[in-house]
Amino acid sequence: MTTGQDRKRPGRPPGPSDTRERILAVARDLFARNGFDNTSIRSIAGGAGVDAALVHHYFGTKTQLFAAAIHIPIDPMTVIGPLRDVPVDQIGHVLPALLLPLWDSEMGKGFIATLRSLLAGSDVSMVRSFLQDVITAEVGGRVDDPPGTGRIRVQFVASQLVGVVMARYILELEPFKSLPVEQIAKTIAPNLQRYLTGDLPGLG
């Protein structure tokens, strides 16, 4: 005999672990095929055969779901969000001061491991989409001067930061690997700021 306690809760299919993994699998596929902007929580839920509310229940926001889909151990918006309150002429200085200590932390080890996996796998399109759809949307519009240069300015910044990750954490070049994070952040900050707000050859 089925009691009230035995009945499934509405919207909660059996096997929560399987359901979570099914949502992640669909999310990875849709993010890779359609990009971050063109993938909705509703479409992911539909593909996984669950209610959209259940996706939010397991993962929270779309950026948190994206982070889970590519195994980034932190919500990207914890870094991107604070930049909204940073004056444009300071973003290049604040960004490395936020990222370098994070990459050097225990949590950062998970990020580096994920990056190694992505570089060796086929999920690069997801990261490219996230960079173009989210980072550029958040920062690019603020540095789009002259008009039309915001996207490439953000990509110049990304190239510098990816270079730091490669040299310090992937290739582990010495003495760069052992430099204090504050020294690296202060050294690259003026260059990042120039990419964002300075004159760049051939732009404009």
Side-chain angles (χ1 to χ4, degrees):
M1 177 176 170
T2 302
T3 66
Q5 291 181 335
D6 293 330
R7 297 191 189 101
K8 293 183 296 182
R9 286 193 287 169
R12 294 295 302 274
S17 178
D18 291 343
T19 300
R20 189 177 189 279
E21 288 305 313
R22 189 167 70 252
I23 293 170
L24 280 176
V26 172
R28 290 188 190 102
D29 178 59
L30 292 181
F31 282 137
R33 285 196 287 120
N34 303 329
F36 184 87
D37 264 0
N38 294 324
T39 299
S40 66
I41 291 290
R42 186 177 297 277
S43 66
I44 292 170
V50 300
D51 189 88
L54 190 60
V55 179
H56 287 295
H57 169 79
Y58 280 128
F59 299 102
T61 66
K62 187 165 78 166
T63 54
Q64 289 172 321
L65 173 56
F66 177 87
I70 61 172
H71 310 292
I72 296 177
I74 186 172
D75 178 3
M77 292 308 294
T78 61
V79 175
I80 301 169
L83 292 179
R84 294 171 178 170
D85 299 323
V86 175
V88 171
D89 62 358
Q90 291 298 311
I91 293 177
H93 297 271
V94 172
L95 187 58
L98 285 173
L99 289 176
L100 266 294
L102 174 63
W103 291 341
D104 253 37
S105 69
E106 284 298 312
M107 188 177 295
K109 292 180 181 178
F111 168 78
I112 301 303
T114 295
L115 183 60
R116 287 179 185 271
S117 174
L118 290 173
L119 290 174
S122 59
D123 288 336
V124 175
S125 61
M126 294 174 62
V127 179
R128 180 170 58 244
S129 168
F130 184 75
L131 174 66
Q132 294 177 344
D133 294 343
V134 178
I135 309 298
T136 300
E138 286 287 338
V139 180
R142 300 180 64 192
V143 297
D144 194 36
D145 184 20
T149 64
R151 177 180 291 266
I152 191 62
R153 286 181 181 279
V154 171
Q155 290 177 357
F156 269 114
V157 170
S159 72
Q160 177 91 73
L161 294 174
V162 169
V164 169
V165 171
M166 289 295 295
R168 185 174 176 88
Y169 305 103
I170 305 297
L171 301 178
E172 299 185 348
L173 301 179
E174 290 288 6
F176 191 75
K177 178 179 181 292
S178 299
L179 291 178
V181 292
E182 296 83 3
Q183 182 178 350
I184 297 175
K186 289 179 180 179
T187 300
I188 68 172
N191 216 28
L192 297 184
Q193 191 60 50
R194 181 175 69 87
Y195 288 152
L196 291 172
T197 56
D199 292 330
L200 298 180
L203 296 184

